[in-house]
């Protein structure tokens, strides 16, 4: 008699597990849409700001910029090959904050491997992969500025996709 009860309990647990598994599978079809929505919420729009013109850029030569305000140094780069998130007619123009997200050290560009490097604790960020950290102590990727290029070749920044170092939020004080 005890064995029958154990078998019944086993069946109930098995059925419960199947129901939970089916619910998980159903939720999995909804989660990608929610994850995409969450990613779009991470992007913060700022007032549009002209950074430069395409004619001002040379491949692998960083151009110092400030965005979204004078207290936020950044760099504008023409990489010479199209990259995800790249702007311009060739899809190769990107811009990043140059404040390391780990401790705020000023990053420098290394053209040989197209990375921005921190002299403090040696974090490295890949400019061809949206500022993804490839080495170091940082716990987030490098903030990338969202760019738009108009018909005259003027490059505008219009938002940031990560938290800028030293700010409790990506909101400008006005």
């Amino acid at each position: 008699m005890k064995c029958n009860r154990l078998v019944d309990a086993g069946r109930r647990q098995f059925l419960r597990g199947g129901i939970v598994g089916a619910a998980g599978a159903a939720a999995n079809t909804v989660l990608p849409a929610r994850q995409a929505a969450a990613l779009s919420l991470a992007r913060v729009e700022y007032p549009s700001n002209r950074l430069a013109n395409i004619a001002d850029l040379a491949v692998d030569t960083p151009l110092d910029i400030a965005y979204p305000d004078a207290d936020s140094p950044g760099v504008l780069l023409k990489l010479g090959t199209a990259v995800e998130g790249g702007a311009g007619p060739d899809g190769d123009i990107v811009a990043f904050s140059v404040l390391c997200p780990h401790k705020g050290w000023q990053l420098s560009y290394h053209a040989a491997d197209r990375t921005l490097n921190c002299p403090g604790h040696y974090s490295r960020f890949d400019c061809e992969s949206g500022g993804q950290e490839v080495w170091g102590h940082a716990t987030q990727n490098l903030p990338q500025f969202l760019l738009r290029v108009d018909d005259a070749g003027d490059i505008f920044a219009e938002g940031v996709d990560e938290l800028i170092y030293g700010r409790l939020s990506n909101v400008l004080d006005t």
Side-chain angles (χ1 to χ4, degrees):
M1 199 149 204
K2 287 184 181 181
C3 285
N4 287 340
R5 288 186 183 162
L6 289 176
V7 170
D8 287 343
R11 288 181 189 154
R12 281 192 293 266
Q13 287 177 334
F14 175 77
L15 291 173
R16 254 186 254 138
I19 291 169
V20 169
N28 195 28
T29 60
V30 175
L31 285 180
R34 286 186 182 164
Q35 288 170 343
L39 287 175
S40 67
L41 291 177
R43 296 186 183 267
V44 178
E45 290 185 23
Y46 287 112
S48 185
N49 188 10
R50 183 186 179 278
L51 303 176
N53 188 281
I54 291 176
D56 301 330
L57 301 177
V59 173
D60 284 330
T61 304
L63 179 65
D64 292 334
I65 59 169
Y67 184 76
D69 54 40
D71 295 326
S72 184
V75 65
L76 186 63
L77 295 163
K78 181 171 178 61
L79 298 173
T81 56
V83 295
E84 187 175 334
D90 300 324
D92 65 342
I93 300 171
V94 293
F96 299 96
S97 170
V98 292
L99 297 176
C100 181
H102 176 235
K103 292 286 183 177
W105 290 74
Q106 185 106 9
L107 304 173
S108 60
Y109 183 66
H110 188 251
D113 62 0
R114 294 189 169 146
T115 58
L116 284 163
N117 301 299
C118 180
H121 297 103
Y122 310 110
S123 290
R124 302 177 66 211
F125 303 91
D126 186 347
C127 295
E128 294 178 306
S129 297
Q132 182 176 3
E133 181 185 13
V134 293
W135 179 259
H137 294 287
T139 58
Q140 75 177 48
N141 294 329
L142 197 58
Q144 184 171 6
F145 303 149
L146 308 175
L147 301 178
R148 173 180 60 85
V149 179
D150 70 9
D151 293 338
D154 288 329
I155 304 164
F156 295 86
E158 299 186 331
V160 179
D161 72 349
E162 295 276 352
L163 188 63
I164 297 169
Y165 179 81
R167 297 173 186 226
L168 298 178
S169 70
N170 275 335
V171 177
L172 290 175
D173 293 328
T174 54

